[in-house]
Amino acid sequence: MYTGAMEEAAISQDALLDGRVRLLQPVAGYRVAIDAVILAAAVEAEANETILDVGMGVGAASLCLAARVPGCRVVGVEVQRELAALASRNVQLNGMEARVETIVADVAKRMPPRLAPGTFHHVMTNPPHLAPDSATAPRDPSKSIANVESSADLGAWLNFCLIMLRSKGSLTVIHRADRLGEILALLKGKAGEIVIFPLWPGEGKAAKRVLVRARKSVATPLALAPGLVLHEDNGDYTVAAEEVLRHAAALYI
């Protein structure tokens, strides 16, 4: 685990959801992408429900979800202490101390007692997207841990997510499209009502990312959704993407 201290000069303050969420994050290394905002938009949470964000980073998805759904409560788990520390600062920066909590923990190891299995209505996660045997790890240690599987492979990661869900609760994952088959194989027999939601970079272009939503202990067949086209031909975001990324619209998958 990389636990180096982060100097203030190495931190920038940015904004998500057109300023609804303010975010401290490293200037170099791990940086929040639109994946976190899209993931948060896809979780069908309601007020008074609890959501677990597995691999919360600096808290982008947790805070976007809390901003969109008043009254919900989010608990985030992050293995990197310096990112978790920034997540806690971001919670304070956005006045979300009563609704968003940060826990430092490794999903491959024993969880803190206050994380009880089978208690969350929803789990959302943006796992490391690269398997260690097929990736060249970034030189930056923090970015490497965020991008490349380390102590927990994809199977262990998803298994932890399912353990934390209550029966019929929803799991929402954003991942590389080329690992979709692996995700579906890992969910087989454990979750159903699976919806695959492609994220198209542009009209007529192959999806590089997919959202996968599944419900624990449900056997409803799989469905393929139309997905979301992110960019116009000129590179601008589509109107539908703008609604999600700037205006905090829910993404119904």
Side-chain angles (χ1 to χ4, degrees), residues 62-182:
S62 295
L63 291 167
C64 285
L65 179 58
R68 180 173 65 83
V69 185
C72 75
R73 183 172 181 273
V74 187
V75 178
V77 173
E78 175 53 47
V79 68
Q80 299 192 62
R81 291 184 179 276
E82 71 279 11
L83 295 187
L86 281 178
S88 294
R89 291 178 62 183
N90 285 329
V91 169
Q92 296 175 355
L93 184 64
N94 289 276
M96 290 287 187
E97 296 95 328
R99 296 180 49 215
V100 181
E101 178 183 2
T102 302
I103 296 176
V104 179
D106 187 336
V107 302
K109 300 178 181 179
R110 187 175 180 179
M111 283 293 104
R114 64 184 183 275
L115 273 184
T119 57
F120 289 90
H121 296 90
H122 309 278
V123 174
M124 63 179 177
T125 186
N126 181 12
H129 287 179
L130 301 172
D133 59 355
S134 63
T136 300
R139 289 186 178 183
D140 181 89
S142 178
K143 189 173 183 179
S144 178
I145 292 173
N147 291 346
V148 183
E149 294 169 10
S150 51
S151 58
D153 63 12
L154 184 57
W157 193 285
L158 293 181
N159 187 59
F160 171 78
C161 292
L162 290 169
I163 287 172
M164 301 311 296
L165 270 177
R166 59 174 59 189
S167 180
K168 298 184 180 180
S170 77
L171 167 63
T172 306
V173 183
I174 189 166
H175 215 294
R176 287 168 57 111
D178 60 7
R179 299 193 72 182
L180 176 58
E182 188 177 351

Side-chain angles (χ1 to χ4, degrees), residues 3-89:
T3 58
M6 191 170 297
E7 301 291 338
E8 289 301 312
I11 299 170
S12 67
Q13 182 172 149
D14 302 290
L16 301 173
L17 299 180
D18 205 25
R20 292 175 177 83
V21 171
R22 291 182 292 166
L23 201 74
L24 300 173
Q25 60 178 332
V27 172
Y30 172 83
R31 296 280 295 176
V32 171
I34 65 171
D35 289 12
V37 183
I38 291 172
L39 174 64
V43 179
E44 295 184 357
E46 298 179 359
N48 301 316
E49 290 187 330
T50 55
I51 302 93
L52 181 65
D53 181 2
V54 181
M56 78 180 300
V58 296
S62 295
L63 291 167
C64 285
L65 179 58
R68 180 173 65 83
V69 185
C72 75
R73 183 172 181 273
V74 187
V75 178
V77 173
E78 175 53 47
V79 68
Q80 299 192 62
R81 291 184 179 276
E82 71 279 11
L83 295 187
L86 281 178
S88 294
R89 291 178 62 183

Side-chain angles (χ1 to χ4, degrees), residues 156-235:
W157 193 285
L158 293 181
N159 187 59
F160 171 78
C161 292
L162 290 169
I163 287 172
M164 301 311 296
L165 270 177
R166 59 174 59 189
S167 180
K168 298 184 180 180
S170 77
L171 167 63
T172 306
V173 183
I174 189 166
H175 215 294
R176 287 168 57 111
D178 60 7
R179 299 193 72 182
L180 176 58
E182 188 177 351
I183 293 171
L184 295 179
L186 291 168
L187 294 178
K188 186 176 181 180
K190 301 175 183 178
E193 199 174 291
I194 296 173
V195 179
I196 301 167
F197 189 94
L199 298 169
W200 313 108
E203 197 71 47
K205 295 182 179 179
K208 296 181 179 179
R209 293 282 190 272
V210 291
L211 285 162
V212 178
R213 191 190 65 210
R215 291 179 63 202
K216 182 177 178 179
S217 305
V218 173
T220 309
L222 178 148
L224 179 60
L228 175 68
V229 177
L230 295 173
H231 296 101
E232 303 285 3
D233 290 341
N234 64 2

